[in-house]
Structures are given as structure tokens and as C-alpha cells.
Amino acid sequence: WDKAGSKFGHADRNPKIGSILIYRSSRQSAGHVVIYLGNNKVLNDGHIEDAEVPEKGWGLTYLGWIDPNDVGWVSVKTNNIRAALASKL
């Protein structure tokens, strides 16, 4: 976050769907990431949770978000995530 955040990051709390939300723990500069799903929900370690969980539940500090498309990642829309991932391997 410290390097890419200044160029690509957004410190506000209005991420786009599919954005990567970045959090800092007291032990690391950027200790945790989740994927924003919309409607205040995130994908975290394979589970869908409220977006407040990393801060309120685990005490992490929100740093901001990065749109993967801004750093050269390509979005893929699919109804079959396993097939989409397999085609990239």
C-alpha cells in the first residue's frame, strides 16, 4: 500500500465492486486484504462478510482501496469461477 497507494489507491470509503480493500494491523504495514462485493459485503478468505468485520471485529485499520484494473489486472465476468480460474493456470 505504501508504494502503490499513492499512485493507484483511494483512501475514501467508496470502493468499486471488485476493488481490493487494504487494512493495516499493529504488526504489519498492510496486513490484510479483502475483495469488495458491493452492498457493504466483502469476500474474505472464501467467506462473505460485512465490510466492517476487519475493523470492528479484528481491530485492523482501513487504509483504502485499489481498483485492480488500475494496476494492470483484467476483469473477467463469469458465472463459473472454477472454469475461469482453470483457464488462467
Side-chain angles (χ1 to χ4, degrees):
W1 173 258
D2 293 335
K3 293 179 183 178
S6 62
K7 185 174 181 182
F8 301 108
H10 307 272
D12 62 62
R13 293 186 179 261
N14 301 307
K16 297 177 185 178
I17 291 174
S19 294
I20 299 169
L21 308 186
I22 302 170
Y23 298 87
R24 174 178 294 158
S25 73
S26 60
R27 296 175 301 251
Q28 299 172 323
S29 62
H32 196 75
V33 297
V34 298
I35 299 172
Y36 187 66
L37 302 175
N39 295 324
N40 205 39
K41 299 290 183 191
V42 295
L43 180 63
N44 176 51
D45 196 25
H47 303 281
I48 297 173
E49 299 176 331
D50 288 333
E52 294 89 16
V53 167
E55 288 179 278
K56 293 182 179 177
W58 307 328
L60 300 179
T61 301
Y62 175 77
L63 297 177
W65 59 277
I66 294 177
D67 182 339
N69 296 299
D70 291 343
V71 293
W73 295 4
V74 179
S75 297
V76 176
K77 292 191 178 209
T78 182
N79 290 326
N80 186 340
I81 190 65
R82 288 192 174 140
L85 291 173
S87 71
K88 302 292 180 189
L89 298 176

